[in-house]
Amino acid sequence: MQSVAGDPREGRIARLRAGLLSAGLDALLISSRANTRYLTGFSGSSSLLVVSQAATVLITDFRYRAQGRVEAGGVADLEIEGTSLWSRLWTVLPRLAGVSSVGFESQHMLHVDAQRVVESGARWQWRPTANLVESLRQQKDAGELECIKAAVAIAELALERTVPEIAAGRTELEVAARLEMWLRELGSEAHPFETIIASGERSALPHAHASRRELQDGDLIIVDFGAVSGGYCSDITRTFVLGRANAAQREAYDIVREANATASAAVWAGMRGRDADAIARDYIERHGLGAEFGHSLGHGIGLEVHEAPRLAKTIDAPLMVGAVVTIEPGVYRDGWGGIRIEDDVWIGPDGPVVLTAFPRQLMELV
Ligand code: ZN
Ligand code: ZN
């Protein structure tokens, strides 16, 4: 096992080890792909990772033999298993000195695997854990922030290229296809979630999948999508009007835009998730549309498109410096349509920095 000076993964594993000590655990079994990638760099889809105070062992299968070595070889001992990762775990664990209490990730482990753990006998005390690695992932380091910025840049350029192709008679699916083509062409490694193109009355559905509906003059069109760069996601929404906007569209749009701008400028480290949410919610309520803003204000982005922290009514946890969050107020009126504007914001030590630069004024596609 070689170590690289200044390797951010070493610091992450060290912080996790400190967390294990305070939780009274000798080791943690990690099955979440994003957590595994965060700690070791391994991006394969099949692995078990064990971190104790003295060891970091990554068990994966034959398909990832070379990839595992390249991606994780610097920080983890690799075990390549031909049949079952779990059988290999039962040979790896007894070799780890001083390990008796072992945590597992209760939010990521399948029930069938939890049963294996229970049936492994009394040799280890297994304890369910939550958020031990996720809480570390909230604070992005400089390299992670660069990846997110690159994912934002790809997404914005792809949207810029797609906008001129949005026209009456095209279906939502066709617009999604053009946008996804540009995302790939510009270097996005994956689509972090299913692209949302929701037009006309369908824009009132906050998470509508693109459909065969043809765009018509006067439609509100919500475009919600993202790119992935270096494993990190961006998540952006813009709402357009096909043709000229009417007064009601304009009025609602201005309220959402102002709510977005106000919240984006005010999300500081230390603020509770519920207070961040309230900034946009209060603004929208004061303007009479409170009942039409039915989802939370935003969420963290990183290796996953939805990760900690959450900016929502129920969240008491304070926002951490270094988090990257979305600010995405929206209003949705059945039978009329919807409007959402979503930006990605880095909560820096000196305050919020909006990473997205795509114009936020109402764009009429004529
Ligand atoms: Zn989104
Ligand atoms: Zn989002």
Side-chain angles (χ1 to χ4, degrees):
M1 183 160 71
Q2 302 163 334
S3 96
V4 180
D7 187 331
R9 298 171 299 175
E10 307 246 341
R12 295 169 191 169
I13 292 170
R15 283 192 291 281
L16 174 61
R17 286 183 172 138
L20 294 181
L21 276 181
S22 4
L25 290 168
D26 300 323
L28 180 66
L29 172 64
I30 292 145
S31 44
S32 148
R33 284 172 61 182
N35 289 345
T36 301
R37 184 164 187 175
Y38 179 72
L39 294 168
T40 68
F42 179 65
S43 64
S45 65
S46 159
S47 64
L48 291 172
L49 173 67
V50 183
V51 177
S52 72
Q53 292 302 328
T56 304
V57 183
L58 180 72
I59 307 171
T60 183
D61 67 52
F62 180 80
R63 295 169 296 168
Y64 296 115
R65 202 170 39 160
Q67 182 183 331
R69 206 172 297 122
V70 170
E71 292 181 335
V75 291
D77 292 319
L78 241 60
E79 297 274 338
I80 306 299
E81 170 61 32
T83 50
S84 155
L85 302 186
W86 286 90
S87 347
R88 182 62 74 99
L89 179 69
W90 307 133
T91 66
V92 166
L93 268 186
R95 296 205 310 257
L96 303 181
V99 169
S100 64
S101 60
V102 187
F104 63 91
E105 298 182 300
S106 59
Q107 291 153 316
H108 304 293
M109 188 180 273
L110 294 173
H111 184 255
V112 64
D113 294 331
Q115 277 177 318
R116 295 180 211 262
V117 156
V118 169
E119 286 160 12
S120 69
R123 176 153 190 178
W124 299 282
Q125 292 105 51
W126 289 95
R127 287 199 3 223
T129 68
N131 300 324
L132 281 173
V133 184
E134 286 85 344
S135 60
L136 303 177
R137 281 169 45 199
Q138 287 191 45
Q139 295 185 278
K140 271 68 184 176
D141 62 33
E144 294 180 287
L145 184 59
E146 283 315 304
C147 290
I148 295 174
K149 284 181 179 173
V152 167
I154 292 170
E156 295 197 316
L157 192 51
L159 183 59
E160 202 181 304
R161 300 263 168 95
T162 306
V163 165
E165 305 188 46
I166 301 176
R170 290 209 125 174
T171 66
E172 294 173 354
L173 279 165
E174 284 167 350
V175 174
R178 297 306 295 164
L179 180 56
E180 290 177 356
M181 191 281 290
W182 282 119
L183 285 164
R184 286 297 204 174
E185 181 101 359
L186 293 163
S188 179
E189 295 154 13
H191 303 311
F193 56 93
E194 206 170 307
T195 302
I196 295 171
I197 308 285
S199 64
E201 292 184 10
R202 296 190 78 252
S203 59
L205 310 169
H207 266 189
H209 300 305
S211 76
R212 294 188 174 82
R213 183 184 183 278
E214 289 181 3
L215 306 183
Q216 297 166 22
D217 200 52
D219 277 352
L220 285 161
I221 305 169
I222 290 182
V223 180
D224 186 351
F225 69 107
V228 180
S229 186
Y232 285 78
C233 307
S234 57
D235 179 9
I236 300 174
T237 306
R238 288 294 182 267
T239 303
F240 304 95
V241 173
L242 193 57
R244 293 287 170 209
N246 62 36
Q249 289 168 336
R250 222 167 250 293
E251 193 188 338
Y253 190 95
D254 286 345
I255 293 167
V256 174
R257 187 183 58 175
E258 210 43 46
N260 165 292
T262 308
S264 293
V267 283
W268 282 68
M271 174 183 275
R272 295 181 303 174
R274 65 163 68 219
D275 297 327
D277 179 272
I279 300 167
R281 198 165 304 282
D282 291 351
Y283 184 88
I284 291 174
E285 274 170 11
R286 279 205 306 281
H287 290 79
L289 300 185
E292 299 177 11
F293 178 25
H295 57 71
S296 51
L297 179 64
H299 52 87
I301 55 172
L303 286 169
E304 292 175 295
V305 74
H306 289 115
E307 59 177 58
R310 284 183 60 214
L311 283 58
K313 275 191 245 185
T314 52
I315 303 297
D316 286 322
L319 300 175
M320 293 172 104
V321 68
V324 179
V325 299
T326 68
I327 298 292
E328 49 180 307
V331 297
Y332 311 90
R333 209 172 290 166
D334 289 343
W336 179 77
I339 293 161
R340 178 166 67 255
I341 304 172
E342 176 178 28
D343 285 312
D344 300 341
V345 178
W346 174 56
I347 303 175
D350 302 319
V353 177
V354 182
L355 304 178
T356 26
F358 199 93
R360 287 170 205 90
Q361 73 267 27
L362 180 57
M363 284 183 76
E364 299 172 305
L365 310 177
V366 289

